[in-house]
Amino acid sequence: MGFPANGASVTDKPFKFLIYGRTGWIGGLLGKLCKEQGIDFAYSSGRLENRLSLEADVAAVKPSHVFNAAGVTGRPNVDWCESHKVETIRTNVVGTLTLADVCREKGLVLINYATGCIFEYDSGHPIGSGIGFKEEDTPNFVGSFYSKTKAMVEELLKNYENVCTLRVRMPISSDLSNPRNFITKITRYEKVVNIPNSMTILDELLPISIEMAKRNLTGIWNFTNPGVVSHNDILEMYREYINPNFTWKNFTLEEQAKVIIAPRSNNELEATKLKQEFPELLSIKESLIKYVFKPNQKTAGA
């Protein structure tokens, strides 16, 4: 197939990235990062589920790497997927597999932003134990249709040696006005549960994903900061750095279940593999302070 060896850098031609998901949060941030780093890039014109349009994109752009940040998460949340199952399959399964297959045919590495919401705490990985799910563990959470499709596609993508699967969880960025931001979401909820989870600080991790492409890294990666943080931990930081008058109410998983259609995933992912490749990676709480709360402190009148 002529793929570069895993970890080998491509030096024979300059980088050019083809990005799917222009209108999405991660896709938009990726384009910004490419501009800042002076990397040539183009957004796709094609639709994931239309193979001919993907082949046309690759032919027109002639990329060195492809990034997939397109997908259906549902609006306002994953409950949408419960009543739109075919649409969810079309993009998250058929579309993602089609893109992986086109990239493989063209000898291209695909960086695929996937999800880590395919696991839940269990007897082998108890809450608060520090025992996280590893890259090779089999997903055990099928509570939501969204997660079910994501676990299916992850399993199938294991057979594509050109794909780098990044398991993102509860993404957070320094843009506290963004409604997709986990922090923004929980500050607007009437009540929140309080469970430690692995999370992804996009300001720190998206530049790492660009570096992963440059290194031609493939396979599955838990794409979260090391350690866990709970809802209350985050809201306490929010109160400390952003709004000293902020208050919130907690409720239990049982109470939460009454106001959502599909159960939500709560887990800890083991981030050792990523930390070994990128030793500078900060723990979740350090990353939250450095990349999210400290930069927002000034604008909050503190």
Side-chain angles (χ1 to χ4, degrees), residues 65-294:
H65 298 79
V66 181
F67 289 73
N68 181 31
V72 170
T73 51
R75 293 291 169 86
N77 55 49
V78 295
D79 284 342
W80 180 92
C81 300
E82 300 298 317
S83 53
H84 297 79
K85 290 183 175 174
V86 171
E87 295 95 321
T88 304
I89 291 169
R90 187 180 296 136
T91 305
N92 289 358
V93 183
V94 179
T96 305
L97 288 171
T98 304
L99 182 58
D101 199 59
V102 167
C103 288
R104 185 177 183 278
E105 232 173 44
K106 306 290 180 195
L108 294 168
V109 167
L110 171 65
I111 305 288
N112 185 47
Y113 296 93
T115 184
C117 290
I118 51 178
F119 294 98
E120 63 181 338
Y121 290 117
D122 63 11
S123 56
H125 308 80
I127 194 163
S129 67
I131 303 166
F133 290 93
K134 297 185 167 71
E135 279 77 5
E136 57 275 15
D137 288 338
T138 303
N140 69 344
F141 177 72
V142 288
S144 69
F145 189 74
Y146 167 81
S147 291
K148 212 180 276 186
T149 64
K150 290 291 197 170
M152 283 177 205
V153 88
E154 183 184 278
E155 183 59 34
L156 291 166
L157 286 175
K158 282 182 189 171
N159 301 293
Y160 282 81
E161 71 279 23
N162 61 312
V163 175
C164 179
T165 291
L166 302 179
R167 289 176 175 164
V168 174
R169 284 212 75 231
M170 298 179 162
I172 290 170
S173 85
S174 54
D175 177 8
L176 295 180
S177 64
N178 190 316
R180 313 293 304 273
N181 191 336
F182 180 75
I183 297 176
T184 313
K185 282 184 186 176
I186 65 171
T187 56
R188 293 176 181 178
Y189 287 160
E190 203 181 313
K191 291 181 179 173
V192 292
V193 291
N194 182 35
I195 301 170
N197 271 285
S198 285
M199 301 189 193
T200 303
I201 307 295
L202 295 175
D203 303 67
E204 181 173 18
L205 283 158
L206 284 188
I208 283 178
S209 66
I210 288 177
E211 182 56 34
M212 291 174 85
K214 291 178 177 179
R215 294 182 193 182
N216 289 310
L217 298 174
T218 54
I220 296 174
W221 296 77
N222 286 340
F223 202 59
T224 55
N225 291 83
V228 290
V229 65
S230 71
H231 299 65
N232 283 9
D233 290 336
I234 289 177
L235 293 174
E236 280 162 17
M237 287 183 199
Y238 185 84
R239 185 171 60 195
E240 185 185 338
Y241 287 91
I242 310 297
N243 178 1
N245 302 313
F246 184 77
T247 59
W248 67 94
K249 292 192 187 96
N250 288 124
F251 66 160
T252 64
L253 278 175
E254 292 70 32
E255 290 168 316
Q256 183 197 42
K258 293 174 183 159
V259 295
I260 55 177
I261 294 167
R264 303 294 195 257
S265 149
N266 291 289
N267 68 53
E268 175 170 356
L269 297 182
E270 175 61 63
T272 303
K273 181 179 173 182
L274 193 65
K275 177 82 173 170
Q276 281 172 344
E277 185 71 33
F278 297 94
E280 67 277 18
L281 184 63
L282 295 178
S283 74
I284 184 65
K285 288 180 182 173
E286 290 173 316
S287 192
L288 273 166
I289 290 168
K290 179 178 175 179
Y291 289 98
V292 181
F293 288 118
K294 282 257 171 82

Side-chain angles (χ1 to χ4, degrees), residues 5-44:
N6 200 357
S9 63
V10 178
T11 48
D12 56 339
K13 62 172 179 173
F15 295 116
K16 179 155 193 195
F17 296 164
L18 170 59
I19 301 170
Y20 286 82
R22 177 206 298 256
T23 57
W25 183 22
I26 288 178
L29 290 173
L30 272 177
K32 247 193 211 158
L33 278 171
C34 287
K35 275 188 192 134
E36 284 167 17
Q37 294 188 21
I39 298 168
D40 195 10
F41 77 99
Y43 281 114
S44 63

